[in-house]
Structure formats: structure tokens, C-alpha cells
Amino acid sequence: MLNLVLFGAPGSGKGTQSAKIIDQYGLYHISTGEVLRDHIARGTELGKIADTYISKGQLIPDDLMIRILEDVLDNEASDKKGVVFDGFPRTIPQAVALNEMLTKRGSDLHAVIGLEVPEEELIERMLNRGKETGRADDNPETIKNRLEVYHNQTQPLQDFYKNEGKYIPINGSGLVDEIFDEISAGVEKATGILRRSRK
Ligand code: AMP
């Protein structure tokens, strides 16, 4: 098993880099944002609850989010070689819960890849994504709230994972492929696992 967390502010490129990581290492991708947006699109009860938080740029409450994640882990990812967690954890209680969930399943979290991008660039990327994809929470007001929530509730996780010796800082500005090469080198150094193929 190889379990990785892709960590970073909204707009830092977690989704883009996740796609490359799962391709290269044969892992399963869990994006909690995508799971929630899928529920919203299908109009489920959970989607209705999630929408009230997402549209304001707030986090879904920890107990609900942890239950959703555990459900996906057991129903979709249990037979996989490992998981890339994208957008989870976002709070200290979520990080503690993830450690417990993995330990309970005889596994472990191997590395946390931190995509570090200056704030002006994050805002520009999200505004562009909003125009290109129509993603509802990529609007100026909600972006402002999401960045504030990130600084207050999510950024403290950097120290949490630094203390666990798992945090790998990555310069998330620049070309997608160059950033990915840096991620691969960091993961390989931390875990000793080699990419399936080198392009
Ligand atoms: P993302 O696609 O990761 O940027 O997530 C979009 C939105 O979904 C966030 O702004 C939150 O409202 C919600 N969300 C996603 N993941 C989490 C999480 N781990 N905890 C709480 N809320 C989340």
C-alpha cells in the first residue's frame, strides 16, 4: 500500500497533480470535493447539506466529512494498491481520524505532499477555473472565504505532519510536468517506491 495526502490551498493544483500521481503509481484517487460535488449534481440529501457549506466557502463539519470519507474508503478503495487523498484532511480532527482509519485497516499514511503557491497566483488560477469550468465556488467572494478558512483551519496541518516527519514541501508554481517531477522525486525519496514508468 502507498497512501499519500496531497495538501495545499484551494487552487494549488491538487486535482491536476493527483491525476498524474494515480496514473504513475496506480493508486486510487479520493477527492472529497469531487465526492461532494457529485452528490450536489445528483441532488441527494447529502448534496443539499454540502451545498449550504460549499457555496459559502465553509468546511463541511468534521463528523459528517469523516463518515463520508470512511464510507468511500471501504466501498471504493479497499481493494486498491493505495490512495491519493486530495482535499482531505482539512482540519486537525480529520488528520487524527485519517491516521486512526488507516491504522484500523492495517495500513499507514506514507507521505504528505504540500503544494506551496503564492496567494495572488491561487486567486488568479481559481478565477480562471471558474470562467473555464463554471465551478460555482470559484467566484471572488467565495474564494476569499475559502482562503481564510484554509489559513485558519487547514494550514496548521503543515506543522502536524512536519512533526510526524511526513511533510514534503513542493514549489507548486511553474509547469505542471516540472512540479510532478519534483513530487515524484520527493515521494521516491520518502518511500523508496519507484514510478511504474518514466517518460
Ligand atoms: P475542493 O474541491 O477540495 O476545493 O473542495 C471544495 C469544497 O468542498 C470546500 O471548499 C469545502 O466546502 C468542501 N470540502 C472538501 N473537502 C472537505 C473536507 N475534507 N472537509 C470539509 N469540507 C470539505
Side-chain angles (χ1 to χ4, degrees):
M1 290 285 279
L2 173 63
N3 295 311
L4 304 172
V5 164
L6 206 46
F7 180 85
S12 59
K14 298 190 294 293
T16 305
Q17 294 297 336
S18 290
K20 295 182 79 70
I21 295 171
I22 57 165
D23 181 39
Q24 289 288 5
Y25 296 99
L27 305 178
Y28 190 72
H29 182 207
I30 300 180
S31 156
T32 42
E34 273 173 26
V35 170
L36 298 168
R37 281 188 290 279
D38 179 57
H39 274 277
I40 293 172
R42 288 187 285 121
T44 67
E45 278 311 306
L46 173 58
K48 283 175 199 150
I49 297 168
D51 196 28
T52 62
Y53 294 95
I54 292 182
S55 59
K56 295 190 201 111
Q58 294 170 352
L59 297 183
I60 274 68
D62 282 336
D63 54 344
L64 177 59
M65 198 67 242
I66 290 164
R67 270 188 281 134
I68 296 168
L69 196 269
E70 193 155 26
D71 195 56
V72 176
L73 204 54
D74 284 339
N75 290 318
E76 296 174 27
S78 58
D79 58 344
K80 301 295 189 297
K81 282 169 59 184
V83 174
V84 175
F85 296 92
D86 161 4
F88 188 100
R90 267 176 153 97
T91 63
I92 301 277
Q94 290 184 14
V96 171
L98 181 61
N99 280 351
E100 286 170 5
M101 270 185 244
L102 292 173
T103 305
K104 218 166 89 186
R105 288 160 181 77
S107 194
D108 196 8
L109 178 62
H110 299 95
V112 176
I113 300 154
L115 293 174
E116 302 186 352
V117 177
E119 186 141 325
E120 316 81 72
E121 198 174 326
L122 294 172
I123 295 171
E124 199 183 308
R125 286 188 192 178
M126 281 188 273
L127 289 173
N128 282 337
R129 183 173 61 188
K131 278 186 209 134
E132 282 162 18
T133 67
R135 184 169 148 174
D137 58 350
D138 281 337
N139 67 75
E141 183 62 25
T142 312
I143 287 172
K144 192 168 155 274
N145 293 341
R146 287 158 70 200
L147 288 172
E148 218 172 277
V149 165
Y150 172 75
H151 291 305
N152 294 335
Q153 301 190 54
T154 307
Q155 214 164 17
L157 285 175
Q158 278 178 342
D159 283 338
F160 178 93
Y161 285 124
K162 277 178 195 166
N163 287 337
E164 291 200 338
K166 290 182 178 164
Y167 189 76
I168 305 173
I170 299 286
N171 175 4
S173 291
L175 297 175
V176 169
D177 286 341
E178 283 174 9
I179 298 166
F180 179 64
D181 283 342
E182 210 190 311
I183 292 174
S184 301
V187 170
E188 282 159 28
K189 192 163 159 225
T191 64
I193 290 170
L194 290 175
R195 277 202 244 177
R196 287 203 296 194
S197 64
R198 285 189 178 275
K199 288 180 185 151

